[in-house]
Amino acid sequence: MATVIAAVGGSLLRPEIDERHAWLEGLVSVIRDRVSMNDRIGLVVGGGAPAREGIELARPLIDNESHLDKIGIAATRMNATILREALSDAGVSVSGTIPTRVDEAVLLLEERPVVVMGGTTPGHTTDAVAIRFAIASGAEKCIIATNVSKVFGEDPRSNPDAEPHDNLTHAQLQEIVGPAEHSRAGPSQVVDPVGVSEAKEAGLVLNILDGRDVGLIRAAIVGEEFEGTLVKGD
Ligand code: UTP
């Protein structure tokens, strides 16, 4: 029996991922199994393609990153609704509403074993929301399910020789993702630097993994060894 919060990258729900229906079914089935083992799970869904598209459409007209962030937040809540409805239809006891604040999410997780949410306020991404939710709910860890296999020392798209990391301290991860700032709405680092700084402060364990493989998400929830990057105290 564990409490685990996971940030589910929005790109995982989109056509960028092959066989996305099978992926969604797989995720629902992992969550259903874990709930039957009495785990409590918070899922914070990212914005993916609709966030990117919406922000890109409005950017030439809107000269304010917070206002663009609000478009991204709307996309995260739409994606959260897809996952919430899929879980609910599969008979999973998931909270009926998509909370807009972390304190609200913590209360809902006391009532139901599963809570699904998206973003909250401008100035960060859903990674930071998941990290705050994990800290506030006393979770064992926060899983960051993204679409890369591990955290690399540099962006592997610009440096094919970049080194993948199995283990990092929070300080090392902060060094890689940069200072705790949210300078621009839309796609950012492998993990939100604002969230990394809060995880460091709280000593929260992070499991960063490739969420395209739901088996990895399951392994991380269960506490088994997983392929990805384990981030823990300095
Ligand atoms: P995402 O969490 O999807 O972030 O939020 P991302 O880094 O762009 O995308 P992934 O994680 O790689 O899929 C999308 C956008 O919504 C706004 C930000 O502009 C973010 O870039 N947002 C999201 C907020 O302002 N606050 C939130 O709490 C969540």
Side-chain angles (χ1 to χ4, degrees):
M1 181 177 162
T3 300
V4 174
I5 309 300
V8 179
S11 65
L12 298 172
L13 282 89
R14 295 288 144 196
E16 292 120 26
I17 157 157
D18 296 337
E19 318 228 0
R20 60 186 177 145
H21 296 108
W23 175 86
L24 189 53
E25 248 179 347
L27 180 64
V28 166
S29 143
V30 165
I31 302 303
R32 193 176 38 209
D33 289 354
R34 293 321 303 166
V35 168
S36 73
M37 303 304 284
N38 293 325
D39 283 354
R40 306 192 87 74
I41 300 172
L43 298 162
V44 185
V45 189
R52 269 201 312 278
E53 279 163 19
I55 291 168
E56 198 201 309
L57 169 63
R59 187 175 286 285
L61 288 75
I62 299 177
D63 187 23
N64 179 314
E65 292 303 316
S66 292
H67 297 170
L68 293 170
D69 280 345
K70 288 192 210 166
I71 296 169
I73 293 168
T76 66
R77 292 178 59 78
M78 184 195 66
N79 283 341
T81 304
I82 295 169
L83 183 54
R84 203 215 73 83
E85 294 302 325
L87 287 163
S88 177
D89 258 49
V92 175
S93 177
V94 54
S95 81
T97 54
I98 307 278
T100 53
R101 298 197 323 250
V102 167
D103 56 352
E104 200 190 327
V106 172
L107 290 177
L108 288 172
L109 196 59
E110 285 168 13
E111 287 167 19
R112 292 288 180 99
V114 182
V115 171
V116 184
M117 72 186 295
T120 54
T121 50
H124 48 75
T125 74
T126 44
D127 292 345
V129 175
I131 286 166
R132 287 175 189 171
F133 190 1
I135 295 167
S137 61
E140 270 94 302
K141 66 175 85 170
C142 184
I143 296 168
I144 309 284
T146 176
N147 58 6
V148 290
S149 58
K150 290 180 188 191
V151 176
F152 286 75
E154 285 170 68
D155 189 337
R157 286 169 301 190
S158 47
N159 178 3
D161 299 326
E163 190 197 337
H165 294 286
D166 294 329
N167 292 282
L168 288 170
T169 64
H170 293 102
Q172 287 168 330
L173 178 59
Q174 190 86 66
E175 186 75 23
I176 290 170
V177 298
E181 287 161 11
H182 174 79
S183 46
R184 201 174 150 83
S188 57
Q189 292 290 339
V190 57
V191 192
D192 182 349
V194 175
V196 171
S197 140
E198 294 177 19
K200 178 171 187 274
E201 190 78 20
L204 175 72
V205 171
L206 304 179
N207 290 180
I208 302 158
L209 51 79
D210 189 343
R212 289 173 293 189
D213 180 352
V214 287
L216 297 180
I217 300 178
R218 185 196 155 277
I221 296 175
V222 175
E224 289 170 0
E225 227 172 90
F226 66 96
E227 200 190 320
T229 304
L230 171 63
V231 183
K232 55 183 189 190
D234 305 356

